[in-house]
Amino acid sequence: MDNGPPRGTRDLLPDSVARREAVMAELAGSYARFGFRRIETPCIEDLSRLSWGEGGDNEKLIYKILRRGLDPVVAAGIALGDLVDLGLRYDLTVPLTRFYANNAGKLPLPFRAMQIGPVWRAERPQRGRFRQFTQCDIDTVGEPSVLAEAELLEATLTALGAIGIEGVTVRVNDRRLLAALAAEVGVSESALRAFYVILDKLDKIGWNGVRDELVEQGHSGAVGGRCEQIVSLISGAGSPDGAIARAADLLPGMAESVLTELRETFDALSRVGAAAPPGALTACLDTTVVRGMGYYTGQIFELAHPDAPSAIAGGGRYDDLVGRSLGKKVPACGISIGFDRVVEMARFAPPDLGVALLHSAEVPRWEVLEMARRVRLEGDSATLVSRRGQLKVQLATLQSAGYSSFVVVEPGGVSERRPLRG
RNA sequence: GUGGUCGUAGCUCAGUUGGCAGAGCGCCAGGUUGUGGUCCUGGAAGUCGGGGGUUCAAGUCCCCUCGGCCACCCCA
């Protein structure tokens, strides 16, 4: 009998949970100091809300839930839509927009939300990639200016710093810049999505691969070449400001406001970097950052770290998403930390398990319980441990398990409470 | 969803052309020690991921299936 959890999910042992809780508390504490308030939404949502047509692939990844009360045997030819009506959320952003639309009247403007919770995607699992995983999300709803982006990035970098993660690279791009690039090289509106996906793969397949795939998609050979020319010139500028200046020259179709906002974001990042330890933060304009979710409308971000194989955080502006639920356009922006990807990288002090009360079987049980009670009344943790084997071996085991002190209770009496030391 | 690769004790892994299921560590017991990982002796423990097939005989060969890892796809 296989007692393992379902594929792509994990059991978490006490030490893992202790680490996760401690890291989570640090992140949440950091976010709270920026004014983000924690909310919770259900794990399930109406399927129609989760699969509103954005990205056919994403819909396939949703875990769908059968309607209640179906007959044990369903008729042949019945449509899937008649069998399922709910689904497990695949991110925290879509539920947030429903939450906001439902509660807008009780929320301040702008509303800064923090969410920490599990999401599900029915992907093929790999290391660092699960079917159930945890996101740490912060979002600002109702702030149209780039103040939201600057604040979200600073909060995320501060939170990562609080758990000891430094040397982060912030890759910034803008969906409007991407659209201007596509227009400039002659990619039609309908081919936009596929064009973005190919561009996103540049760091994996190189320019040769990008050109090949563009041709495969039916673009002329000139598209790839022109694309490479523009992207290389921008990324070769050496500084974000230089990159923005070149982007302005090369992509005349882009609105001035896009450039201004990018400058503001980089200015904010450089100020954050100046206040942080040297090397803790680098930022660049990377015109190949795309982000998978289709709902982004403005600046988009991906945070990379040399120790992480893939992005540790990502996000961006999604000004049209709340409007789908609320019926009235409300600007919004958010960033999500991939909790499962940063938790192992985080600085972590194991919790103190307190006092181990080593008792032999000869000691009356009530006496041991009484002792433990007294320890707990003093505010410490106490755990009853049966005395067995060699004392020195048992003490060493307890020490490495996380206990900080011990008491030996024997029929002859009770020892002093002594510290366990390495 | 597609392709590759692996799956033997709690853990890390050996296991030859198919021929009695193994080691180290850990765990348990006893001795030594007697308030800090000593040493010695002994012990428990595996339907060899699961199912089917070939064979006198399968951990080993074949098929299916489940799971891990890797590359796609996509993403945090």
Side-chain angles (χ1 to χ4, degrees):
Chain A
M1 171 144 184
D2 181 10
N3 291 316
R7 182 169 209 190
T9 66
R10 296 170 293 170
D11 290 330
L12 297 169
L13 273 56
D15 286 346
S16 294
V17 173
R19 164 179 278 272
R20 291 169 70 89
E21 281 186 335
V23 172
M24 211 175 268
E26 281 293 337
L27 294 176
S30 276
Y31 286 156
R33 283 191 286 280
F34 282 80
F36 292 95
R37 305 288 311 279
R38 187 148 178 200
I39 63 163
E40 290 192 24
T41 64
C43 296
I44 53 177
E45 292 282 350
D46 282 339
L47 195 54
S48 57
R49 189 181 301 276
L50 295 175
S51 50
W52 37 278
E54 182 57 53
D57 266 10
N58 269 338
E59 275 189 42
K60 278 189 257 173
L61 300 180
I62 298 174
Y63 282 99
K64 301 181 176 73
I65 297 172
L66 285 176
R67 290 177 187 275
R68 280 63 56 205
L70 291 171
D71 291 334
V73 178
V74 299
I78 194 165
L80 183 63
D82 292 328
L83 290 176
V84 295
D85 58 346
L86 299 171
L88 293 176
R89 64 186 180 196
Y90 55 82
D91 74 2
L92 297 175
T93 305
V94 173
L96 171 70
T97 60
R98 183 198 56 72
F99 173 95
Y100 187 81
N102 189 42
N103 299 286
K106 302 170 220 160
L107 300 171
L109 194 73
F111 174 53
R112 293 179 178 85
M114 173 194 342
Q115 294 182 88
I116 302 174
V119 302
W120 293 265
R121 292 178 198 172
E123 291 186 285
R124 176 93 69 146
Q126 271 177 52
R127 185 157 50 103
R129 182 173 184 181
F130 306 97
R131 287 182 164 176
Q132 174 182 319
F133 59 97
T134 299
Q135 289 192 327
C136 283
D137 211 77
I138 46 173
D139 297 84
T140 300
V141 182
E143 173 54 66
S145 83
V146 77
L147 173 66
E149 278 86 339
E151 192 175 64
L152 288 162
L153 283 169
E154 179 165 357
T156 301
L157 291 163
T158 304
L160 290 173
I163 58 173
I165 295 181
E166 287 171 350
V168 174
T169 298
V170 183
R171 301 163 67 209
V172 180
N173 198 9
D174 195 305
R175 274 289 164 95
R176 296 164 295 179
L177 187 154
L178 277 171
L181 172 65
E184 184 67 23
V185 301
V187 172
S188 68
E189 191 89 14
S190 61
L192 218 49
R193 170 89 195 158
F195 171 72
Y196 290 164
V197 170
I198 294 169
L199 195 59
D200 194 30
K201 289 197 276 188
L202 172 64
D203 55 338
K204 276 185 191 172
I205 62 179
W207 279 112
N208 288 334
V210 169
R211 281 195 301 267
D212 290 349
E213 290 206 18
L214 284 172
V215 170
E216 276 173 41
Q217 293 282 326
H219 298 287
S220 79
V223 170
R226 181 80 182 121
C227 196
E228 173 176 3
Q229 197 180 6
I230 294 172
V231 169
S232 301
L233 277 170
I234 293 175
S235 61
S239 73
D241 277 347
I244 293 168
R246 287 192 180 177
D249 287 345
L250 294 160
L251 305 171
M254 194 163 42
E256 179 62 28
S257 60
V258 176
L259 302 167
T260 307
E261 289 177 14
L262 282 169
R263 279 192 205 97
E264 278 194 62
T265 295
F266 280 110
D267 182 56
L269 282 170
S270 77
R271 288 170 195 275
V272 172
L281 164 65
T282 55
C284 63
L285 176 66
D286 187 335
T287 53
T288 68
V289 169
V290 171
R291 309 286 306 148
M293 298 304 182
Y295 46 62
Y296 293 117
T297 57
Q299 290 187 4
I300 46 184
F301 317 101
E302 244 175 50
L303 274 63
H305 190 276
D307 296 344
S310 45
I312 58 174
R317 178 166 285 276
Y318 48 96
D319 281 348
D320 296 334
L321 196 50
V322 176
R324 286 173 190 269
S325 302
L326 194 58
K328 139 184 119 167
K329 183 166 171 171
V330 178
C333 190
I335 296 185
S336 197
I337 292 179
F339 183 73
D340 303 273
R341 289 179 177 175
V342 301
V343 70
E344 296 305 322
M345 300 163 57
R347 183 206 311 126
F348 167 65
D352 179 5
L353 298 184
V355 187
L357 291 176
L358 290 163
H359 63 279
S360 58
E362 294 81 48
V363 179
R365 279 186 267 273
W366 66 265
E367 201 173 305
V368 185
L369 289 166
E370 173 82 34
M371 285 197 57
R373 193 175 307 126
R374 281 203 299 274
V375 172
R376 293 180 193 124
L377 281 172
E378 289 166 17
D380 290 326
S381 301
T383 305
L384 272 46
V385 179
S386 295
R387 176 72 190 87
R388 62 179 60 192
Q390 300 171 61
L391 183 66
K392 60 171 74 172
V393 174
Q394 189 168 23
L395 291 178
T397 304
L398 291 170
Q399 197 271 326
S400 63
Y403 293 93
S404 57
S405 59
F406 72 99
V407 172
V408 180
V409 190
E410 289 171 315
V414 177
S415 77
E416 290 288 307
R417 178 167 158 183
R418 289 162 164 256
L420 285 157
R421 53 182 197 285

